[in-house]
């Protein structure tokens, strides 16, 4: 074993570890692998970057755009609705029609796009036939995956193995070479779901639009009753005549105010400017126990005398002032949505707007052009901010201005943690002191040693003196919250809030969403869309408290309540898929004929063999934009950039495996292990390994790594590579076993209410069926021996 082989195998092992654990984003892992093989000299710089111009990568992103054109012009929607009308009401017949329809469309479209497109349609069918969506959505996802096996462009692994054959000097697969085996596998999968799989599917109805006013199962599924209760504002409450923004009930208690009943009128999704009145009855979702936690903050001892401002802001911590110009990209955002503290390593102490200085509740304040931000932090970070675009008029601030201009001394308090406080051994983040007081902890005085700008994970200790920016009247609000009257005898039912103008439905993040990793508070969801998020369903579990600070992930299902007009507007947002077909974005039906002609025009010369698939796909993508089937911005959104960077970054690692002889070494080990049992045993071993790896490694990256191993194994054994290459492509694409093995599986997990075990049961058995079919059928069409 040469040093180069040891080096490339080490890079491979680290890459696979990061891909499996996802400690860092998968596409970043791929780019680091690219850099590693280039810097170590395993491949040349040109070879390292060749992945971005590789025909397979070009074909993948171009097919995404083509698929988007068919979707936005309504081609796939019309086909899906027409065929699904044939589904009837019988479960077996519905599953057959859903899987076959999804499979046929996935032959020429991206399978995730097909699943996302048909999801609202299938949800409507489930409602109309009174069947739980869980009986139909997993067949939808599996049908889209099976259909991708039937053509060269149906799935990225098919494109990648074809390109690998071309690079090896062999005849690549043509458009319909996958079709015979792919169709047999697809119909075997449909048959399995009808005869066995559907009996293993759960019966769960996660969410249903409350258009009839009849009780639904979604309240039970999301366990809403466990977290719903009513509270009443006492007649003499100090909270009366204050806005929700001033009270900050959501921040302090993590409660979600669904509605306010005043007399015989109920106001849903109240906004920050809505005012509470004496006797108001609030429908709240959250933890009642949060009221008891108020005692943690009331236990803090406010010390007289405040703090000398010279002390914390001397030495390493400096102060500066910056202005937001008219063209600043920060205008309209909040400090919270910008993640300002983490992004710049600085604290914003105040915002000066004209002659008004705002010193508390800064995190959710929309920034305006002309705002002057008073920021504090290490001098190195301040200098970086001076060079950052979006800021102007940077200057260091004299400490006297803290009192003369910003009047910080009026809002600074020192609070000591008592020896018996429940806050001891909690981190600042866990204590939620900043939320409770509408500000933040600027520093901690511990044994006369200041900790300036403490991190969220700083652990609080007995005797700590916290330098807090706030007001004594904030403590009055806490007392007012403690005095709220909980109506324990009153039954709370969200259905009672639903009327002709108010509805409940479910939405999920779309495959093209830009909101993944952001919180509801950062995107100002409630203010922007005028809707309340009742609950979130993630990987088999419902979340109902502190939702505004939960990072959103692809596949999350949000249960929403609000005016029907607002719910319909949400359906037009590209970041969300509303799970009812009546609230979808309007299609460009007038462009349908152009998208059909373009798709037919690029497929015909490819099928005949006149034009390579990657050239035809690029021309077709350009024509889709040129003809107005989709805009350039929409084209960019249709591309799954993670897949593009993942493939382009991993291809050089595959090249390094081949050029260093590592792939040949692995192939020799495979031959030595199973070679004596014949070609079929080799195929079984490679296909089984691929099936197992799809549970952990992204399919595109897996095929890139497996291709050189398969080609070297065939060379050592004197076998035809076509059958084995097609087999591993199909095994990689048939990602049924876990929800994380393919985005289509994650997409239906929330709406279907599936749990991890559901995929293991149904998908695991389906995988065994596909394995058997591949072993039996593949040698008939693609003999292993030369």
């Amino acid at each position: 074993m040469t040093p180069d082989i040891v080096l490339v195998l080490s890079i491979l092992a680290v890459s696979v570890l990061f891909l499996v654990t996802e400690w860092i984003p998968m596409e970043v892992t791929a780019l680091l692998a690219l850099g590693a093989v280039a810097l170590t000299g395993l491949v040349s710089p040109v070879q390292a970057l060749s992945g971005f111009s590789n025909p397979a990568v070009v074909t993948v992103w171009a097919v995404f755009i083509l698929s988007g054109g068919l979707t936005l012009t309504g081609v796939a929607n019309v086909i899906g609705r027409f065929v699904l009308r044939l589904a009837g009401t019988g479960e077996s017949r519905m599953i057959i029609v859903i899987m076959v329809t999804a499979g046929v469309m996935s032959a020429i479209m991206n399978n995730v796009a097909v699943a996302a497109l048909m999801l609202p349609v299938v949800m409507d069918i489930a409602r109309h036939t009174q069947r739980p969506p869980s009986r139909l959505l997993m067949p939808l996802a599996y049908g889209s995956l099976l259909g991708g096996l039937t053509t060269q462009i149906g799935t990225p692994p098919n494109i990648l193995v074809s390109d690998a054959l071309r690079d090896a000097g062999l005849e690549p697969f043509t458009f319909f070479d996958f079709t015979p085996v792919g169709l047999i596998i697809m119909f075997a999968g449909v048959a399995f779901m009808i005869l066995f799989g559907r009996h293993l599917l759960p019966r769960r109805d996660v969410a249903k639009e409350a258009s009839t006013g009849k009780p639904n199962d979604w309240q039970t599924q999301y366990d809403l009753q466990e977290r719903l209760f009513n509270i009443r504002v006492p007649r003499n409450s100090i909270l009366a005549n204050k806005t929700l923004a001033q009270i900050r009930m959501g921040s302090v208690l993590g409660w979600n105010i669904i509605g306010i009943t005043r007399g015989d009128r109920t106001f849903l999704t109240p906004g920050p400017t809505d005012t509470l009145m004496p006797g108001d009855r609030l429908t709240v979702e959250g933890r009642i126990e949060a009221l008891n936690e108020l005692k943690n903050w009331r236990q803090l001892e406010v010390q007289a005398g405040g703090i000398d401002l010279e002390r914390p802001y001397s030495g390493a911590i400096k102060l500066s002032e910056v202005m937001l110009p008219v063209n600043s990209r920060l205008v309209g955002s909040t400090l919270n949505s910008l993640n300002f503290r983490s992004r710049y390593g600085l604290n914003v102490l105040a915002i000066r707007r004209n002659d008004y200085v705002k010193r508390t509740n800064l995190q959710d304040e929309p920034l305006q052009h002309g705002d002057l931000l008073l920021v504090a932090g290490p001098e190195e970070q301040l200098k970086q901010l001076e060079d950052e675009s979006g800021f102007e008029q940077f200057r260091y601030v004299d400490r006297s201005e803290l009192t003369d201009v910003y009047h910080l001394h009026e809002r600074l308090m020192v609070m000591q943690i008592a020896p018996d406080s429940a806050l001891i051994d909690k981190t600042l983040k866990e204590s939620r002191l900043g939320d409770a007081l509408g500000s933040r902890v600027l520093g901690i005085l511990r044994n006369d040693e200041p900790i300036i700008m403490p991190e969220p994970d700083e652990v609080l200790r007995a005797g700590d003196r916290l330098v807090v920016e706030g007001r004594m009247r904030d403590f009055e609000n806490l007392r007012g919250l403690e005095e709220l009257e909980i109506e324990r005898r009153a039954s709370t039912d969200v259905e009672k809030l639903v009327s002709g103008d108010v509805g409940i439905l479910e939405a999920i993040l779309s495959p093209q969403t830009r909101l993944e990793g952001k919180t509801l508070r950062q995107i100002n969801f409630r203010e922007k869309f005028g809707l309340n998020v009742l609950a979130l369903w993630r990987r088999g579990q419902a979340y109902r408290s502190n939702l505004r600070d939960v990072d959103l992930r692809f596949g999350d299902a949000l249960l929403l309540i609000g005016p029907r007009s607002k719910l319909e507007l949400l359906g037009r947002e590209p970041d969300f898929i509303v799970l009812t077909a009546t609230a979808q974005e309007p299609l460009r039906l007038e462009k349908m004929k152009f998208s059909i002609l373009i798709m037919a025009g690029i497929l015909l010369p490819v099928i005949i063999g006149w034009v390579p698939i990657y050239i035809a796909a690029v021309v077709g993508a350009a024509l889709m934009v040129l003809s107005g089937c989709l805009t350039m911005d929409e084209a960019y959104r249709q591309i799954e950039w993670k897949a593009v960077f993942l493939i382009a970054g991993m291809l050089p690692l595959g090249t390094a495996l081949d050029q260093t002889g590592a792939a040949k070494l692995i192939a020799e080990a495979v031959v030595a292990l199973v070679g004596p049992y014949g070609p079929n045993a080799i195929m079984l071993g490679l296909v089984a390994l691929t099936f197992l790896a799809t549970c952990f490694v992204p399919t595109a990256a897996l095929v890139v790594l497996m291709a050189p191993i398969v080609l070297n194994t065939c060379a050592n054994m004197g076998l035809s590579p076509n059958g084995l290459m097609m087999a591993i492509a199909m095994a990689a694409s048939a990602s049924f076993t876990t929800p994380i093995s393919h985005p289509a599986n994650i997409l239906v997990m929330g709406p279907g209410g599936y749990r991890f075990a559901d995929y293991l049961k149904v998908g695991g058995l389906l995988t065994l069926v596909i394995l058997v079919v591949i072993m039996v059928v593949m040698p008939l069409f693609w003999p292993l021996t030369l």
Side-chain angles (χ1 to χ4, degrees):
M1 186 180 295
T2 66
D4 283 350
I5 292 178
V6 173
L7 187 58
V8 74
L9 290 179
S10 300
I11 295 173
L12 173 64
V14 173
S15 299
V16 171
L17 175 65
F18 284 138
L19 289 172
V20 171
T21 59
E22 293 189 49
W23 288 336
I24 58 177
M26 292 185 293
E27 59 272 28
V28 175
T29 297
L31 294 177
L32 289 175
L34 179 155
V37 295
L39 292 174
T40 54
L42 297 175
V43 298
S44 68
V46 174
Q47 287 176 317
L49 297 177
S50 63
F52 291 97
S53 61
N54 186 280
V57 176
V58 173
T59 305
V60 167
W61 65 252
V63 168
F64 282 134
I65 296 177
L66 291 170
S67 175
L70 294 175
T71 300
L72 295 176
T73 57
V75 174
N77 194 282
V78 169
I79 295 173
R81 287 181 175 278
F82 174 75
V83 177
L84 289 174
R85 287 196 195 102
L86 307 175
T89 58
E91 185 175 82
S92 297
R93 185 176 174 182
M94 282 193 290
I95 290 177
I96 292 174
V97 173
I98 289 170
M99 293 188 72
V100 172
T101 303
V104 170
M105 288 195 291
S106 292
I108 58 171
M109 292 178 61
N110 173 255
N111 40 31
V112 181
V114 170
L117 175 74
M118 291 186 60
L119 187 53
V121 179
V122 174
M123 290 292 289
D124 279 351
I125 290 176
R127 294 187 189 102
H128 295 153
T129 58
Q130 297 297 307
R131 293 186 181 278
S134 61
R135 307 291 294 175
L136 304 177
L137 291 182
M138 192 178 288
L140 167 63
Y142 288 170
S144 68
L145 295 180
L146 290 169
L149 307 180
T150 58
T151 64
Q152 184 185 9
I153 64 170
T155 184
N158 290 2
I159 299 171
L160 288 167
V161 295
S162 182
D163 187 69
L165 288 173
R166 181 189 298 109
D167 288 345
L170 302 171
E171 187 70 22
F173 292 122
T174 61
F175 191 84
F176 286 119
D177 279 347
F178 294 86
T179 305
V181 178
L183 283 177
I184 293 174
I185 292 175
M186 177 178 161
F187 288 122
V190 174
F192 166 79
M193 290 302 296
I194 295 301
L195 298 175
F196 303 102
R198 68 186 181 94
H199 300 293
L200 302 174
L201 292 171
R203 292 184 178 273
R204 302 191 190 105
D205 193 349
V206 175
K208 188 188 299 184
E209 185 178 12
S211 56
T212 62
K214 297 178 181 179
N216 295 318
D217 291 338
W218 49 262
Q219 293 205 61
T220 303
Q221 181 65 33
Y222 278 101
D223 296 329
L224 288 185
Q225 294 302 127
E226 181 184 339
R227 291 285 187 247
L228 282 176
F229 55 95
N230 294 319
I231 57 175
R232 188 174 294 277
V233 180
R235 294 292 177 185
N236 57 349
S237 174
I238 62 173
L239 303 181
N241 300 311
K242 291 186 178 181
T243 65
L244 293 178
Q246 292 172 324
I247 298 169
R248 300 189 331 277
M249 193 178 297
S251 300
V252 177
L253 299 172
W255 287 356
N256 181 16
I257 304 175
I258 298 172
I260 300 175
T261 300
R262 185 172 297 155
D264 57 354
R265 295 185 60 190
T266 297
F267 308 93
L268 286 179
T269 62
T273 59
D274 286 321
T275 303
L276 291 186
M277 302 297 291
D280 279 353
R281 185 169 179 259
L282 278 60
T283 302
V284 175
E285 181 185 31
R287 296 168 51 249
I288 295 180
E289 301 81 21
L291 278 177
N292 296 328
E293 296 174 3
L294 285 177
K295 297 176 181 178
N296 295 341
W297 304 316
R298 296 291 300 278
Q299 288 175 349
L300 290 169
E301 301 172 359
V302 181
Q303 297 186 341
I307 184 171
D308 181 9
L309 291 177
E310 294 287 333
R311 184 175 184 184
Y313 300 115
S314 59
I317 303 300
K318 305 294 183 184
L319 294 156
S320 69
E321 183 184 77
V322 290
M323 188 191 78
L324 301 183
V326 175
N327 60 347
S328 175
R329 66 183 186 281
L330 279 64
V331 171
S333 302
T334 65
L335 296 176
N336 193 26
S337 65
L338 294 170
N339 204 7
F340 194 95
R341 168 68 188 271
S342 300
R343 186 175 180 179
Y344 298 108
L346 301 167
N347 257 338
V348 177
L349 302 182
I351 299 176
R352 185 150 62 104
R353 185 173 296 159
N354 299 323
D355 296 328
Y356 172 70
V357 177
K358 185 175 179 63
R359 290 156 293 190
T360 55
N361 299 319
L362 302 180
Q363 292 301 309
D364 296 317
E365 176 69 20
L367 299 175
Q368 301 178 13
H369 66 82
D371 280 354
L372 294 170
L373 308 184
L374 178 66
V375 294
E379 188 170 8
E380 181 182 354
Q381 301 299 118
L382 290 173
K383 288 182 177 179
Q384 292 180 9
L385 185 71
E386 182 179 7
D387 298 331
E388 186 81 18
S389 62
F391 301 97
E392 288 184 358
Q393 300 182 16
F394 177 93
R395 71 179 183 88
Y396 287 101
V397 173
D398 187 88
R399 293 187 183 89
S400 63
E401 294 182 61
L402 297 182
T403 55
D404 298 341
V405 178
Y406 285 98
H407 307 287
L408 285 188
H409 63 289
E410 298 176 3
R411 298 292 175 88
L412 284 184
M413 301 183 295
V414 177
M415 314 175 77
Q416 188 165 21
I417 298 179
D420 59 344
S421 173
L423 295 174
I424 296 174
D425 293 331
K426 285 188 176 182
T427 65
L428 278 176
K429 183 177 181 180
E430 292 170 342
S431 72
R432 298 178 59 236
L433 280 170
D435 285 333
L437 301 173
S439 185
R440 60 207 169 282
V441 178
L442 300 179
I444 301 176
L445 302 178
R446 180 177 295 161
N447 299 326
D448 293 329
E449 291 297 326
I451 302 174
I452 307 301
M453 294 177 59
E455 296 295 330
D457 58 355
E458 181 69 38
V459 178
L460 299 175
R461 300 178 184 173
D464 279 352
R465 299 169 65 216
L466 311 181
V467 181
V468 178
E469 190 178 23
R471 296 167 294 188
M472 285 303 298
R473 71 182 186 188
D474 291 324
F475 282 86
E476 295 178 0
N477 286 341
L478 295 183
R479 180 168 57 82
L481 290 174
E482 282 188 280
E483 294 172 352
L484 289 172
E485 301 171 357
I486 299 176
E487 298 183 351
R488 298 184 180 274
R489 295 184 180 181
S491 61
T492 306
D493 189 349
V494 179
E495 288 286 349
K496 295 179 180 178
L497 301 176
V498 174
S499 63
D501 297 327
V502 176
I504 298 175
L505 57 72
E506 193 178 31
I508 60 175
L509 295 184
S510 72
Q512 296 85 30
T513 185
R514 296 175 181 175
L515 303 181
E516 189 171 11
K518 296 182 179 180
T519 65
L520 294 173
R521 176 157 63 167
Q522 288 175 333
I523 64 177
N524 293 318
F525 185 90
R526 189 166 182 170
E527 292 77 11
K528 183 177 181 180
F529 299 108
L531 300 170
N532 250 336
V533 180
L534 294 177
L536 180 147
W537 183 270
R538 174 179 294 167
R539 299 191 178 182
Q541 185 174 353
Y543 297 86
R544 302 166 301 274
S545 300
N546 297 314
L547 295 180
R548 68 185 203 146
D549 293 319
V550 176
D551 292 338
L552 296 177
R553 300 178 189 171
F554 177 65
D556 285 350
L558 304 176
L559 188 64
L560 307 170
I561 183 172
R564 294 189 189 278
S565 59
K566 300 289 187 181
L567 294 171
E568 290 176 2
L569 287 176
L570 186 69
R572 301 185 180 185
E573 290 289 326
D575 289 307
F576 295 96
I577 299 174
V578 175
L579 300 185
T580 174
T582 58
Q584 298 301 305
E585 182 180 6
L587 301 172
R588 302 186 183 109
L589 298 178
E590 72 280 2
K591 299 290 185 180
M592 184 187 298
K593 58 183 178 183
F594 294 109
S595 63
I596 294 175
L597 288 174
I598 291 170
M599 200 67 193
I602 68 165
L603 290 182
L604 184 60
V606 170
I607 294 170
I608 297 175
W610 291 349
V611 181
I613 181 66
Y614 46 91
I615 298 297
V618 170
V619 173
L623 291 175
M624 284 286 189
V625 176
L626 189 63
S627 62
C629 294
L630 74 173
T631 66
M632 200 64 228
D633 286 340
E634 290 169 335
Y636 285 130
R637 289 194 71 135
Q638 293 296 323
I639 299 173
E640 191 178 333
W641 290 107
K642 287 185 177 182
V644 172
F645 279 94
L646 181 64
I647 297 171
M650 295 303 292
L651 280 171
L653 181 55
T655 301
L657 285 171
D658 189 37
Q659 290 184 171
T660 60
K664 184 178 180 181
L665 183 68
I666 296 173
E668 290 173 351
V670 172
V671 171
L673 182 64
V674 296
Y677 301 101
N680 287 333
I682 290 178
M683 184 168 74
L684 176 62
L686 291 172
V687 171
L689 176 62
T690 305
F691 269 127
L692 180 63
T694 57
C695 299
F696 313 103
V697 182
T699 56
L702 178 60
V703 171
V704 169
L705 299 176
M706 289 293 295
I709 297 173
V710 172
L711 290 172
N712 278 275
T713 300
C714 292
N716 289 345
M717 289 288 293
L719 303 176
S720 172
N722 297 74
L724 278 175
M725 290 291 278
M726 186 177 290
I728 65 161
M730 291 185 170
S733 299
S735 310
F736 309 121
T737 311
T738 67
I740 60 175
S741 59
H742 198 279
N745 295 341
I746 298 178
L747 191 68
V748 302
M749 189 176 189
Y754 297 119
R755 294 185 169 87
F756 202 93
D758 297 324
Y759 289 90
L760 289 177
K761 286 189 298 183
V762 183
L765 291 177
L766 179 57
T767 298
L768 293 177
V769 171
I770 303 304
L771 174 62
V772 172
V773 174
I774 289 176
M775 292 302 301
V776 173
V777 175
M778 190 66 72
L780 300 179
F781 291 92
W782 300 93
L784 298 180
T785 55
L786 293 172

